[in-house]
Amino acid sequence: MNFEYQNPTRIIFGAGNLSRLGEVAGGYGKKALLVTGGGSVKRSGVFGRAVASLTAAGIAYAECTGVEPNPRITSVARGAEIARKEGCDMIIALGGGSVMDASKVISAATLYDGDPWDMILHGQEHVYVPTEALPVITVPTLAATGSEANCGAVITNEETKVKSFIQIPLLYPKAAIVDPELTVSVPKDQTAYGVCDLITHVTEAYFNGSGTTPIQDRFAEGVILTAMEWGPKAIADGNDLAARTQIQWSALVALNGWVNVGTNAPYPVHMMEHTVSAYHDITHAAGLSIINPAWMRFAARTNTAKFVQFAERIFGLKATATDDLACALEGIDRFEQFLRSIDCPTRFSELGIDDALFETYATDTLKIVNDGQGNLPGIPVMSVADMVGIFRSAL
Ligand code: NZQ
Ligand code: ZN
């Protein structure tokens, strides 16, 4: 293990903390661009409470509404334009991962005269790496991505059908106000997708990491077991604040870097899913819940011992040996059953997606990330044919 770790995001966690938004924001600026999605925060009353807190603290604000799920670069450009015109000196993201991701890129795009798409990795020759950005405060209303306390952002170019990311330390939010009360209005399906997303964040590093991170393995297993215990409770009763709290914290720790530190893992399932959602605009974790078990069955044949560990520690199965492939595959079946039990899709056909573009997803994925030899990094590395085979097995 050889790594450097620093996550500078100040985390203010717990029910009721939305009321502190104004006080916290006062430490970073005087006029905020308040970024929101399609209206859920207005319907739930969260927006009104956020504005009341800002106003009481003497913070002015301008609005950027309508950031769509799978946020588009056009929304980023629009937000940056408003922030410049209104003279905003900070960005407040009030919403799910899509709003938070758009907000992070808006924070840099506001101070950049060029096309904000230059910042998103998409196989282009010129990548603009921003060096300055407005401070960002995240206020997540959905437990899923962990975007509130990490430095990544995933953005879609709807014209070219590319969904890709930027991940640089500059984009760490200054503060995250993580108030599980804000998630009680999340519908059952989005709650379940959040559970699937957060579990996938840790399975990626668990199965694709260096293999010499026993503490990280235990952290990851703790996150998975916690999500499998409390997720169904949050889905069954959206007002169960104890369950919402555990899921919110699980989602944050799953992708704030700490669980994965030292693994140096690529995220192949995410890379493949992003390409599929670029074409079909599906919910991110609906794609993950289809691709992840299919990928696991492929990878278990190479990395059997790790999948045996997963089967034993997560599902209490007993293997005959560390290369007991049947046990490894049984663990994956159990995982898929869990996803089905929370009504996540596990086949493309459930989303009306056929095999017409399987090769296109695979080749497009490699345009964003590859190992220099035409493969997608992971354990094992994947060729176009491997990816197509995985997609086909999930038809
Ligand atoms: O748009 P509104 O009206 O707010 O409704 C949203 C949206 O329809 C709704 N919602 C959010 N909070 C709610 C609520 N509805 C009722 N009550 C609330 N409290 O939920 C829907 C989905 O929202 P979205 O933000 O799209 O979901 P999520 O948080 O899952 O974010 C998904 C995006 O994040 C990216 C994904 O690719 C996708 O674009 N990711 C970002 C990551 C990161 N930055 O670290 C990592 C992830 O792996 C992921 O790729
Ligand atoms: Zn994800």
Side-chain angles (χ1 to χ4, degrees):
M1 292 171 81
N2 190 343
F3 62 82
E4 189 171 318
Y5 177 78
Q6 183 182 25
N7 183 324
T9 302
R10 172 182 167 200
I11 296 165
I12 298 161
F13 188 92
N17 276 310
L18 177 62
S19 61
R20 292 186 55 196
L21 177 60
E23 165 217 325
V24 172
Y28 302 102
K30 291 189 165 51
K31 183 169 184 179
L33 180 72
L34 199 44
V35 183
T36 59
S40 71
V41 292
K42 297 205 171 163
R43 290 191 292 276
S44 64
V46 164
F47 182 83
R49 286 161 55 205
V51 165
S53 177
L54 291 172
T55 307
I59 310 283
Y61 71 95
E63 275 190 67
C64 172
T65 59
V67 171
E68 52 286 293
N70 298 325
R72 298 174 179 188
I73 196 67
T74 45
S75 293
V76 169
R78 180 168 59 84
E81 182 64 38
I82 300 170
R84 275 194 292 264
K85 201 168 124 224
E86 295 281 343
C88 297
D89 56 8
M90 66 179 147
I91 312 287
I92 297 176
L94 188 60
S98 296
V99 166
M100 294 189 282
D101 285 6
S103 297
K104 290 174 183 175
V105 185
I106 289 170
S107 75
T110 304
L111 305 179
Y112 175 54
D113 286 338
D115 181 349
W117 188 242
D118 297 346
M119 302 183 209
I120 310 297
L121 282 181
H122 61 282
Q124 75 272 45
E125 278 181 14
H126 170 69
V127 180
Y128 172 69
V129 181
T131 51
E132 48 178 356
L134 296 177
V136 174
I137 299 171
T138 51
V139 188
T141 62
L142 197 164
T145 62
S147 180
E148 58 271 20
N150 70 39
C151 65
V154 184
I155 302 292
T156 295
N157 186 322
E158 67 275 28
E159 260 178 47
T160 55
K161 302 282 181 222
V162 177
K163 178 177 182 181
S164 186
F165 65 95
I166 174 173
Q167 190 175 14
I168 55 168
L170 178 74
L171 297 191
Y172 275 110
K174 294 282 183 240
I177 297 183
V178 188
D179 180 342
E181 266 178 14
L182 310 190
T183 66
V184 297
S185 58
V186 177
K188 282 186 195 299
D189 60 346
Q190 289 293 340
T191 305
Y193 293 143
V195 170
C196 172
D197 192 23
L198 82 89
I199 291 176
T200 312
H201 292 154
V202 299
T203 61
E204 294 266 35
Y206 189 82
F207 291 118
N208 295 290
S210 62
T212 54
T213 55
I215 296 179
Q216 262 52 42
D217 283 4
R218 296 288 187 186
F219 285 161
E221 290 154 6
V223 170
I224 296 166
L225 290 168
T226 304
M228 288 178 58
E229 177 182 349
W230 293 92
K233 295 179 189 175
I235 295 162
D237 176 6
N239 289 313
D240 181 341
L241 193 57
R244 291 290 193 185
T245 301
Q246 294 314 316
I247 292 303
Q248 185 86 337
W249 183 229
S250 302
L252 191 155
V253 299
L255 206 59
N256 76 339
W258 183 247
V259 168
N260 303 347
V261 75
T263 62
N264 292 324
Y267 281 58
V269 173
H270 270 71
M271 293 302 108
M272 290 189 278
E273 193 292 321
H274 287 166
T275 307
V276 175
S277 33
Y279 282 91
H280 301 284
D281 206 6
I282 56 174
T283 300
H284 168 57
L288 294 177
S289 73
I290 294 167
I291 299 169
N292 201 22
W295 171 81
M296 286 176 160
R297 290 191 180 97
F298 166 83
R301 287 164 207 284
T302 308
N303 196 8
T304 312
K306 201 59 183 277
F307 283 90
V308 165
Q309 178 179 302
F310 177 78
E312 290 193 315
R313 293 189 185 173
I314 302 297
F315 295 105
L317 300 177
K318 282 275 162 276
T320 53
T322 54
D323 64 351
D324 183 349
L325 183 60
C327 177
L329 293 173
E330 173 66 20
I332 298 165
D333 286 348
R334 298 274 185 104
F335 177 57
E336 191 177 60
Q337 280 160 25
F338 168 75
L339 294 173
R340 284 184 185 281
S341 75
I342 59 170
D343 284 335
C344 286
T346 55
R347 294 290 178 271
F348 281 117
S349 49
E350 293 172 66
L351 301 187
I353 296 175
D354 63 21
D355 61 356
L357 295 177
F358 282 175
E359 192 144 336
T360 306
Y361 310 145
T363 48
D364 279 13
T365 302
L366 290 179
K367 284 183 200 152
I368 291 166
V369 181
N370 67 70
D371 64 357
Q373 290 164 357
N375 294 311
L376 183 64
I379 300 178
V381 298
M382 280 175 278
S383 64
V384 167
D386 292 332
M387 285 186 265
V388 170
I390 290 167
F391 293 140
R392 199 166 291 290
S393 74
L395 200 51

